[in-house]
Amino acid sequence: MGLLTPVFKNKGSNKNATNYRGITIMPILLKLIESVAKAKVQPKILKEQNRLQRGFTVNSAPMNCSFFIEEFIRECRDAGKIIYIALLDAKSAFDVVTHESILRKLYIAGVEGLLWKLIHSLHMDSSSVVKFNGLISEPFSICQGVKQGGILSADLYKLYINNLLTDIEHSGLGAKIGSICCAAPTCADDVALMSDNPEELQVLINMAYNYSRRERYKLQPVKSVILPVYPNRRKTARTFLSMEYR
């Protein structure tokens, strides 16, 4: 059983529940179990992890994502091309992970036997209570999501989103530096899609949208935006455009 504490995001009204992020504190024994499981699971996940994913990765950093974007902008500026960058925002990404899907992806990645059964038990038999203003709620079952603050959570989410990045890379569409694909630099649940061709970018957006429907999470059109970057530096700063799915 976890102890979930709502933490205000410092934006919007503090009377709106959607402006809070739930951070789950787990029992010490469970953290020890997850630490042991992570040592065995992480190498298998890193073996499968797409190279465009830079979040929560050893010997890497989110700054690597900005490096992809910066280099592609420099290359397109030299060629006098306009760049289109779509910044996708997934709604409550960690909270809506489907347990059945992530367990299937773990098995495909080579996590099986007793280790797979352990992770299955940690998710299928979990519950939580909410602590707020000194009060604690009645316990309730956790039927989806990975715990924000959990030791395994970041690795599991990277595996959950991994197939999308692989599909984009294999499509051959979007941004390239030379022959190297950099169409979707990603940090955990933050995905940026890049192309110098608006039609190709729309195809990538459609791929991301279809993947979200298949895996049962939502992209937020209001918070997801497209940023055009022009060869003329004075025109780079533009108002974000609303993104529509077609």
Side-chain angles (χ1 to χ4, degrees), residues 108-178:
I108 294 173
V111 178
E112 53 188 16
L114 293 177
L115 181 58
W116 186 91
K117 290 182 179 179
L118 172 63
I119 297 175
H120 176 277
S121 177
L122 291 178
H123 288 83
M124 293 302 185
D125 300 329
S126 64
S127 59
S128 188
V129 295
V130 176
K131 181 180 180 181
F132 190 69
N133 287 341
L135 302 175
I136 296 179
S137 72
E138 293 293 323
F140 55 92
S141 297
I142 303 296
C143 301
Q144 65 179 36
V146 290
K147 303 174 184 66
Q148 297 206 40
I151 292 175
L152 277 173
S153 297
D155 290 299
L156 293 178
Y157 187 83
K158 288 193 299 181
L159 187 61
Y160 185 68
I161 199 72
N162 193 64
N163 285 352
L164 170 61
L165 305 182
T166 301
D167 290 345
I168 289 174
E169 188 172 17
H170 288 172
S171 73
L173 302 175
K176 295 183 184 66
I177 300 176

